[in-house]
Each structure stands twice: as C-alpha cells, then as structure tokens.
C-alpha cells in the first residue's frame, strides 16, 4: 500500500514543539494553522508525482476554494491534521487522515495518530490494523455497558447546541458507562475499530474527517449508519460508527437529528 504520510507526520510532530500561528475559517472556533496547509500540500505533491491523473478532496484545498466533489475517479481524501484545535492547544490527540476512493467507495484508509505513534490502516476486504496488529470491534451487545464517543464540533448556533445537548442527555441517561471525546473524528472512529469504545456519533464533521476511518471501522467488523438509521453517506456530514447494528440503532433512536449543508452542496 502506498502511504504518503511519513514526511508529513514529521512536520506535524516538529510543529507541535514550535509556536503556531492560528487562523480561523468559518468561525472563531474553526481553526487552521500553516502546518495544516503545509502537510496537505506535501501529501498532494507526493501523490501527484506517482499518480498524476488522480483527484483530491483536501480540507485546506476546499477551504481555499477548490471544489469538494466525490466522483467515480480515483480520489484521495485528505485531512492533514484532524484535531486542529487539539494541535493548537497541544491536547495530545492529532491525526493525519488519508482515504482513497474509486467509484465513490473507499478502497483504503490510513489514520496516523501522531502523538500516540499509532498507524491505523485498512484495505477493502483485507481487515484493519494498528501498527500491523489486526483490529476487532468490541463484542459488547448491551448499550448500558458501553462507552460512546461524540464531539461538540464547531457550530455554536444555540439551536444546534441545544440538539447536541439533548442527544447527549438522552444517551447518557440510557444510562451508558460513559461519554468520551478525543477531539478528532478519525481517532474516535479508530477507538471504535480498536474495541475501546462501542460507538461514535457526530453531526457536522466532514468527508475528510471520516473517509479513511470509515473503512477502518467496517474492516474491523463495525457498522456505519446515518444518524437517522439510514445508510451511511460519506458526504452528508452525519455518522454513527458502532461495533454492531443493535447499538447503532439504539443510538440513532436517541439523537436529535439535523442536516448541515452537505459537503457536495454546490
Ligand atoms: C474536526 C475534528 C473534531 C470534530 C469536527 C471536525 P478538524 O476536524 O474531527 O473532532 O468535532 O467536526 O471538523 O477541523 O480538526 O480537521
């Protein structure tokens, strides 16, 4: 498997030791740094040298005005730093996420958790691995004995925040053993794949946060679902990733769903 992540990871690790210039994107809590932009360019350049006709969806390229189109063509879906807010605050969960899709289906995914030094990989039909060791989701069937991961995202519209808290309240009061947030969608999903948490759900993250990790979850035996129980849609910005369908469906029954603008909305 061609993994264009080694030089970018060095850049992320070195940048963590330096002062970071923080810029904002859609709002004052949607952050970006020069490292996000530099890492994305490094990844795109290295892929282009090997595969000049392939297409890209990169978080920072889209922020700079590139289209966000998932076509049938071979496409690299890149989040140079998933967990940018963590990166800015040195909260120690930061990942580089690279998915590769053909015919709108993710064929392989790599999530590198930079500070844990964990390389999660998956190839369609060939399983998921962490540093080469096979991954398997939790076999827990009872939601009351589960840990659920979620995030608060960067939308501070009070109506959205009310829905987030209402969903959180419903799930916490099932009751579940606990709620966790790593601060990166990709690492939350790798925790599901690793069997450390039973499920992760969120509304509002993007295709680049999810693409690689979605395959890592399904190849570890997990399920992906829309927050209202329908099929998972990579561009919808909504996901439940769980160890099994029963837990995913129970969570979907507790979520106050809403629909943010899709990633492929023109
Ligand atoms: C964010 C993280 C965060 C999630 C946000 C994402 P970024 O990605 O994955 O956990 O709550 O929805 O946008 O901006 O750090 O790449």
């Amino acid at each position: 498997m061609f993994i264009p992540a080694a030089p970018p990871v060095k850049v992320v690790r070195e940048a963590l030791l330096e002062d970071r210039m923080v810029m904002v994107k859609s709002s004052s809590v949607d952050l970006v740094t020069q490292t996000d932009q530099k890492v994305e360019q490094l990844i795109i350049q290295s892929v282009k040298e090997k595969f000049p006709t392939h297409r890209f969806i990169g978080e920072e390229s889209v922020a700079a005005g590139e289209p966000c189109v998932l076509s049938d063509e071979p496409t690299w879906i890149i989040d140079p730093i998933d967990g940018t807010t963590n990166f800015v605050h040195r909260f120690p969960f930061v990942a580089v996420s690279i998915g590769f899709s053909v015919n709108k289906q993710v064929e392989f995914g790599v999530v590198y958790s930079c500070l844990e030094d964990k390389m999660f990989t998956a190839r369609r039909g060939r399983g998921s691995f962490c540093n080469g060791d096979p991954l398997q989701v939790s076999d827990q069937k009872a939601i009351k004995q589960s840990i659920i991961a979620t995030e608060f995202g960067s939308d501070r519209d009070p109506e959205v925040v009310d829905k987030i808290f209402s969903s959180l309240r419903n799930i916490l009061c099932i009751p579940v053993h606990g709620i966790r947030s790593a601060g990166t969608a990709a690492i939350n999903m790798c925790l599901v794949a690793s069997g450390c948490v039973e499920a992760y759900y969120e509304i509002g993250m993007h295709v680049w946060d999810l693409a690689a990790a979605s395959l890592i979850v399904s190849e570890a035996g997990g399920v992906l679902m829309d927050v209202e129980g329908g099929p998972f849609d990579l561009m919808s910005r909504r996901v439940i990733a769980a160890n099994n369908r029963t837990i995913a469906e129970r969570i979907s029954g507790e979520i106050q769903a809403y629909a943010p603008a899709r990633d492929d909305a023109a």
Side-chain angles (χ1 to χ4, degrees):
M1 195 190 301
F2 169 61
I3 301 180
V9 162
K10 191 164 172 279
V11 173
V12 175
R13 288 177 148 225
E14 285 172 2
L16 275 161
L17 304 171
E18 294 161 5
D19 285 340
R20 290 163 291 272
M21 193 174 81
V22 183
M23 298 161 278
V24 297
K25 294 195 284 189
S26 62
S27 76
S28 64
V29 297
D30 183 10
L31 310 180
V32 61
T33 69
Q34 284 172 335
T35 310
D36 297 68
Q37 295 162 339
K38 185 173 170 185
V39 168
E40 184 162 317
Q41 280 318 308
L42 275 170
I43 295 169
I44 291 176
Q45 270 162 25
S46 75
V47 174
K48 272 189 174 162
E49 278 167 20
K50 238 173 142 51
F51 305 107
T53 61
H54 286 189
R55 305 205 175 171
F56 298 90
I57 295 176
E59 175 170 17
E60 307 316 333
S61 308
V62 171
E66 292 289 324
C68 184
V69 178
L70 185 63
S71 70
D72 288 342
E73 300 300 314
T75 304
W76 297 76
I77 306 169
I78 302 161
D79 189 344
I81 299 184
D82 189 37
T84 301
T85 305
N86 287 354
F87 175 75
V88 165
H89 290 268
R90 294 194 174 95
F91 189 84
F93 297 99
V94 169
V96 176
S97 172
I98 304 172
F100 176 71
S101 77
V102 180
N103 295 326
K104 302 189 183 71
Q105 184 159 278
V106 181
E107 290 299 327
F108 70 78
V110 177
V111 171
Y112 182 70
S113 178
C114 303
L115 290 147
E116 298 179 288
D117 191 20
K118 288 184 177 173
M119 179 76 81
F120 296 91
T121 57
R123 228 173 133 175
R124 179 161 299 282
R126 305 226 186 144
S128 299
F129 300 85
C130 177
N131 292 345
D133 295 329
L135 295 176
Q136 179 65 46
V137 293
S138 153
D139 62 4
Q140 182 56 256
K141 292 185 178 59
I143 191 139
K144 290 188 177 181
Q145 284 161 46
S146 299
I147 289 188
I148 310 300
T150 189
E151 293 289 335
F152 299 93
S154 56
D155 193 332
R156 298 294 186 266
D157 174 342
E159 279 183 29
V160 168
V161 173
D162 282 347
K163 287 190 168 144
I164 291 171
F165 275 99
S166 168
S167 306
L168 201 56
R169 182 186 182 285
N170 291 347
I171 292 168
L172 201 51
C173 292
I174 288 174
V176 294
H177 272 184
I179 301 277
R180 298 288 184 272
S181 292
T184 112
I187 290 181
N188 285 321
M189 290 173 80
C190 289
L191 289 168
V192 175
S194 305
C196 309
V197 306
E198 276 62 37
Y200 156 73
Y201 73 92
E202 188 176 348
I203 301 176
M205 71 290 113
H206 295 272
V207 59
W208 44 80
D209 302 309
L210 296 176
S214 64
L215 187 64
I216 293 168
V217 169
S218 57
E219 286 295 320
V223 299
L224 299 158
M225 196 182 270
D226 177 64
V227 293
E228 290 185 278
F232 170 59
D233 173 345
L234 256 183
M235 304 303 270
S236 71
R237 303 180 61 199
R238 313 187 334 161
V239 72
I240 299 172
N243 62 331
N244 61 49
R245 182 155 290 277
T246 311
I247 287 192
E249 282 172 351
R250 180 66 202 271
I251 290 170
S252 94
E254 305 295 348
I255 292 178
Q256 287 271 305
Y258 57 96
R262 293 175 57 86
D263 275 328
D264 51 8

